[in-house]
Amino acid sequence: MFFTSENLETVLHSITSALQAPVILLLLLMMLVTVILIGITIGEYFTERRHLREKLPALVDRLRAHEVSTAESIAESRLIKHQKAALTELTLHPELSNSMREELAIRLISEEQSRYDRRVKVTDLIARLGPMLGLMGTLIPLGPGVIALGKGDTSTLSDALLTAFDTTVAGLICAAVAIVISGIRKNWYGNYMSVLETLMGCVLEAEKTDD
């Protein structure tokens, strides 16, 4: 009969052995993506985070003082580019009623939150998949290694153990770096969103019209 225990074990072994190359390839790609993300995060610090020097109470006071237009106050501020774009958008539609402008503000905040969520999604995924792929890369070559040990083939066993250790370390390094990057970015983006929501309320108040 075809579906014997031995045949099923052979099929299962063939499938798992065939997964070794894809798992190693995925780990290499994950390491490459992790290195790229490190560079992107450093670049983001120097292009956005480092330039965020606007003092929120002072900007709120300027918006409420109406010494210049709301759009000018936003343009002259030291907010990051995306915050300025979202806040300026509220001032570009004077024909909107107060309730419609509030709906637009909610939509703009939602879009900004979605954009930041997409940024951290990759590192969150790497943080979850890294240990899993590392474990798969560890266990798959151990099967042939154990067989080689039974036959006294220490060379094959050494190669299997080396692959197992390398994949484990690669997966854990990727996951550790991804967790750190995610933590840093979530802290940044949480601050960005808090500032944006506060200023959205100020802009709505400044642009309020008599319906």
Side-chain angles (χ1 to χ4, degrees):
M1 185 177 180
F2 178 76
F3 292 104
T4 62
S5 176
E6 183 177 351
N7 289 338
L8 293 176
E9 290 174 359
T10 301
V11 172
L12 182 60
H13 176 68
S14 300
I15 293 174
T16 54
S17 297
L19 290 174
Q20 182 171 346
V23 168
I24 294 176
L25 178 60
L26 286 174
L27 283 170
L28 291 174
L29 290 175
M30 191 176 294
M31 292 181 71
L32 176 61
V33 172
T34 302
V35 171
I36 293 173
L37 288 171
I38 292 174
I40 291 174
T41 303
I42 294 174
E44 189 176 339
Y45 172 79
F46 286 103
T47 58
E48 290 189 0
R49 182 70 182 179
R50 191 180 179 186
H51 294 165
L52 185 61
R53 294 291 184 268
E54 182 63 53
K55 294 183 178 180
L56 185 58
L59 180 54
V60 170
D61 290 340
R62 290 201 302 272
L63 290 172
R64 289 179 174 176
H66 297 290
E67 295 178 356
V68 296
S69 69
T70 304
E72 290 179 1
S73 296
I74 295 170
E76 293 171 359
S77 69
R78 302 182 67 181
L79 298 170
I80 61 176
K81 180 177 65 175
H82 293 286
Q83 289 174 328
K84 286 184 178 181
L87 293 168
T88 302
E89 184 68 23
L90 282 180
T91 68
L92 299 179
H93 306 280
E95 74 282 359
L96 296 179
S97 64
N98 293 330
S99 60
M100 294 175 67
R101 190 174 286 109
E102 289 176 2
E103 291 296 326
L104 176 59
I106 293 173
R107 178 62 180 173
L108 291 171
I109 291 174
S110 177
E111 289 177 353
E112 284 298 296
Q113 185 65 61
S114 297
R115 187 169 63 83
Y116 290 139
D117 288 343
R118 287 194 298 271
R119 286 190 180 186
V120 299
K121 188 176 294 184
V122 176
T123 47
D124 285 345
L125 184 61
I126 291 176
R128 294 186 180 95
L129 291 181
M132 296 180 187
L133 291 175
L135 181 59
M136 290 178 63
T138 300
L139 296 178
I140 291 174
L142 286 183
V146 171
I147 296 175
L149 177 62
K151 297 179 179 179
D153 186 357
T154 56
S155 177
T156 301
L157 175 61
S158 298
D159 292 339
L161 290 176
L162 181 61
T163 301
F165 292 149
D166 288 344
T167 52
T168 300
V169 172
L172 291 177
I173 288 176
C174 290
V177 173
I179 290 173
V180 172
I181 293 176
S182 286
I184 293 173
R185 281 180 147 187
K186 287 176 181 178
N187 182 48
W188 289 353
Y189 301 156
N191 180 50
Y192 295 166
M193 291 305 302
S194 177
V195 170
L196 181 61
E197 290 173 6
T198 300
L199 293 177
M200 279 285 188
C202 294
V203 172
L204 287 173
E205 184 68 24
E207 296 293 305
K208 184 177 290 187
T209 60
D210 295 329
D211 291 339

